[in-house]
Every structure is written in C-alpha cells, then in structure tokens.
Amino acid sequence: MRNPEVVCNELLGDSLEKDKRAIAEMLKSKTPITWLFTGNSITQGAKHTHGMRTYSEIFFERVRYEMGRSRDLIINTAVSGNTTKNILDDFDWRVAHSKPQVVFLMIGTNDAAKDKAISVEQYGENLGNLIRKIRAIAAIPVLLSPTAILESHAPERANLKDYVAEMKALVAKEQVIFVDQWEIWNGELKRKYSDQWSKKLLNDPLHPNGQGHKEMAISLFKALSIFDPKQPTCGGAYYEGYH
C-alpha cells in the first residue's frame, strides 16, 4: 500500500500543473475570461504610481490588446491599507460577486505592520482560508508575494520577510501558482538596478512606483507563460509614429 502522504503530495502537484494547464487552455479559447486582482494599496495603485499604470493595468493591455482578447474582463478590488482579514471579511463582494475564473492575490505588507497585530501564524491561516474560498467558487488562485521594502525606513515592518516565508511555505503545501516578487526584487532586480533599486522602483519605503509596477507585471507574465520580450508591456520597444 502506498504512503498516503506521498499520494497526497502527488495530487497537490497535479493540482498545480492542472491550474497552469487550465489557464493555458482558457487563453487558447475564445471564451472571455474574468481576471480579478485583489489586495492592498500596491495592487489598488493608490497614490504611489504618480498616475502611471499599475501591474493589473499593464496586464490589461497585455491580454486585451497584445493578445487580442478584447472581451476579457480585468477587475481590481484591492483596497489601500487592507490585510488578509479585510479580504476574508468582504470576500463575497470583493471576490465571489464577480464570478472570476482567475484570482490574483497580493497581500501581506500590512499584515506585517505591528499595529495590525496579525501574527505570522494568523496570516498563514488567513491565506489558507482565502485559497480554499477562491477554489470553492471554481476560480484559480494565483498568489504574489509582497515586493522588497526599504527596511531601514520601515522598521514597523522589519519582519515582513517572515510573512513572505509563511506565504512561500503555504503555496508549496497547497500547490498554488506563485509569483515570488520578494525573491525577484531582492535578487534579480537589485542586481539590475544596483544601489539605485529603491529610487528606481519605489515611491517610498513600501510602495512600488510606475517602473516597479512594470517589473511586477513582467514577473507575472513569466509565471503565466505569456511573456514575450518583443511586446511593449514585456519591455519591448513601444510604437512611435509621426507626431
């Protein structure tokens, strides 16, 4: 008789691959997809982009224009200041109401704030509940970790890395599609932008600016296998006509 834990891990692995295949098949189909983004001020795009587009809006152009899926809907229900608890409490309106096929969830920067009093363990429990609720409405969850912060100027969130570690452990256990923004920002992007990374990618110690959102979008495209370096949203040259 096979070890039940091994069988369970295989089924979870199948779940991750199944989700990836499902999104790939949906993108091949002409049936419109409803994509929903939720989270906190970073996903909402509140204030800190200086009027430039958020990563969900860049995703909007990639899918609806570049990929020709003009009937797809992209919905953003993120709210500045929110935590996992806020989204759980308002899940029926914020997520289920729109009947999405795919839900992008980026959350944790506020959970880690000392004044929110949400422990790492409670954060993990809330995330697990959100994943289960998203799956219960027949949607595919895609989690994005928080981006890197300027820790020296955000001491109240100095333990954010512990919340990211909790998210990483959970997505591995639940086999959820995951965009590890924390790792990308602290590795690849810090090498790319060197000691200017915070000035190039952040508007303050916590919030990505317009360029930061573009890098977030590129990471998301790669995770969903829709990255094309020739396309403008992926870093390619934009069209410049006579003007």
Side-chain angles (χ1 to χ4, degrees), residues 173-186:
K173 177 183 176 182
E174 298 290 339
Q175 288 295 286
V176 176
I177 298 173
F178 180 50
V179 187
D180 194 350
Q181 301 278 14
W182 183 266
E183 178 64 28
I184 293 166
W185 279 54
N186 279 295

Side-chain angles (χ1 to χ4, degrees), residues 42-54:
I42 295 174
T43 298
Q44 183 182 1
K47 184 178 180 178
H48 298 280
T49 65
H50 289 204
M52 297 179 71
R53 291 184 298 175
T54 65

Side-chain angles (χ1 to χ4, degrees), residues 72-122:
D72 280 15
L73 297 179
I74 288 82
I75 300 168
N76 188 336
T77 67
V79 178
S80 179
N82 269 197
T83 65
T84 49
K85 184 180 184 303
N86 297 127
I87 299 173
L88 276 172
D89 290 346
D90 200 24
F91 185 87
D92 288 347
W93 177 254
R94 294 270 295 276
V95 182
H97 175 80
S98 300
K99 299 179 181 179
Q101 282 75 56
V102 181
V103 175
F104 299 102
L105 173 63
M106 181 182 179
I107 196 75
T109 305
N110 293 321
D111 292 74
K114 290 179 181 178
D115 63 353
K116 297 295 184 181
I118 297 176
S119 68
V120 172
E121 293 73 23
Q122 185 60 57

Side-chain angles (χ1 to χ4, degrees), residues 5 7 9 29 31 38 51 71 77 105 114 124 127 141 149 155 169 200 219 226 232 238 241:
E5 186 175 345
V7 174
N9 287 338
S29 168
T31 303
T38 197
R71 298 188 69 226
T77 67
L105 173 63
K114 290 179 181 178
L127 271 183
I149 65 173
K200 296 289 187 180
S219 299
I226 60 171
Y238 269 92

Side-chain angles (χ1 to χ4, degrees), residues 20 23-24 27-28 35 37 58-64 66-67 69 104 217-231 233-234:
K20 290 180 178 179
I23 291 177
L27 286 168
K28 290 178 184 176
W35 312 82
F37 290 76
I58 299 170
F59 180 88
F60 183 99
E61 182 180 349
R62 175 79 187 110
V63 171
R64 294 187 73 251
E66 292 177 352
M67 297 179 70
R69 300 189 56 83
F104 299 102
I218 287 173
S219 299
L220 179 56
F221 299 154
K222 289 178 177 178
L224 298 181
S225 299
I226 60 171
F227 176 76
D228 180 351
K230 295 179 182 178
Q231 294 297 333
T233 61
C234 302

